[in-house]
Amino acid sequence: MLSINGRPYDTLDSVIGIEENPSSLKSYGVSYEQIDLRGNDFDILAIKERVVKKDIKVISIQRSRGYELRSSFSMETVENVIKEIRSVNKDVIIMVDNCYGEFVETIEPIEIGADLIVGSLIKNLGGGIAPTGGYISGKKQLVELCADRLTAPGLGKEAGATLGVNRQILQGLFFAPQVVASSVKTAIFASKMLEELGYEVLPRYNEKRTDIVQAIKFNDEEKLIKFCQGIQAGSPVDSKTIPEPWGMPGYTDKVIMAAGAFTAGSSIELSCDAPIRAPYVAFLQGGLTYQYGKFGVLKAIANLNT
């Protein structure tokens, strides 16, 4: 497997095998290579030089930024790198981690040449209603291979646990475009407000959006923590809870996570999280409705001055 999106999430190090783990992909014979970004873009020359050897089975592209202070990839950028890969290797499988990006732009990665897209149902596509799950979409034969791996060869997606939540998954998908629009609107409001208060934001309020994530650079640990705690205070669930940074398994730094959500872990609902490391950047996402998203952001701003 080749990753061409820069450093993966901290929690993936053990899964991949960057950190030794007897249950990692590496331990099962799956090799991993990574081509780092060049600035905020793909290193096209390095990618083509590696891919032309035709000894790679899967290329992974991550649309969102993780905990990096950089722009997420637009569909135009992803389409360009896919075209460059196909110019030297037509057979390699291209998989896109689509988390946080669904319905933000007018097209999705499988419409511009990706073979597979994967994501979470407690993010954009679940609409805040799906209580758990993920999705895989793309070429039929590849989806069937994934289904065989997840259940059993020969049974694939014809069998397996549904956990009794099929109705919520479909209802979440139905509401997802409207919910994502509210999340994007909340992010734009937060970007404008925090920029007016003198903080560096990415993206700015008037820049093109490629996902629902809004980064806010505080350059101050205390302010970062207070902002996240303010988001929790403005949440519809557990608003009295005060989140604190802690050494979460799988992360190299302490992490603070604010998410007073109806569905545990749902980041299409208003949430904010951050690694406790310089330059102290908060990553805000979600908002089932713009009204409560706006309230949560204003509550977080007010908490900065307490």
Side-chain angles (χ1 to χ4, degrees), residues 155-306:
L155 297 178
K157 57 187 175 61
E158 300 303 321
T162 66
L163 306 179
V165 296
N166 283 354
R167 186 176 72 84
Q168 291 99 312
I169 289 172
L170 294 172
Q171 190 175 14
L173 177 60
F174 179 79
F175 280 108
Q178 177 181 325
V179 172
V180 172
S182 293
S183 297
V184 171
K185 193 172 179 179
T186 297
I188 292 170
F189 174 78
S191 181
K192 178 62 173 176
M193 290 294 293
L194 272 298
E195 184 176 303
E196 289 288 334
L197 292 171
Y199 297 101
E200 183 181 341
V201 295
L202 184 69
R204 295 186 64 214
Y205 72 96
N206 56 355
E207 290 181 324
K208 180 180 178 180
R209 299 267 158 177
T210 60
D211 64 14
I212 64 169
V213 182
Q214 178 62 51
I216 306 142
K217 184 177 177 182
F218 288 100
N219 291 312
D220 183 282
E221 181 178 346
E222 184 180 2
K223 286 186 180 295
L224 169 64
I225 293 171
K226 281 191 170 185
F227 185 83
C228 291
Q229 291 174 340
I231 290 293
Q232 184 76 34
S235 297
V237 179
D238 292 332
S239 60
K240 299 296 185 183
T241 303
I242 301 175
E244 296 285 351
W246 70 297
M248 189 176 294
Y251 290 84
T252 54
D253 302 281
K254 286 186 176 182
V255 177
I256 184 169
M257 290 192 170
F262 293 101
T263 298
S266 175
S267 52
I268 193 61
E269 299 183 53
L270 187 64
S271 61
C272 190
D273 52 281
I276 306 302
R277 62 175 179 236
Y280 302 108
V281 180
F283 296 88
L284 175 76
Q285 54 269 321
L288 295 179
T289 69
Y290 171 63
Q291 289 77 11
Y292 106 82
K294 180 179 179 180
F295 175 79
V297 171
L298 291 175
K299 191 81 171 177
I301 290 172
N303 202 53
L304 289 172
N305 300 315
T306 59

Side-chain angles (χ1 to χ4, degrees), residues 67-79:
Y67 279 154
E68 295 182 9
L69 189 60
R70 63 165 176 82
S71 299
S72 298
F73 297 128
S74 67
M75 284 294 91
E76 182 181 3
T77 301
V78 175
E79 182 176 24

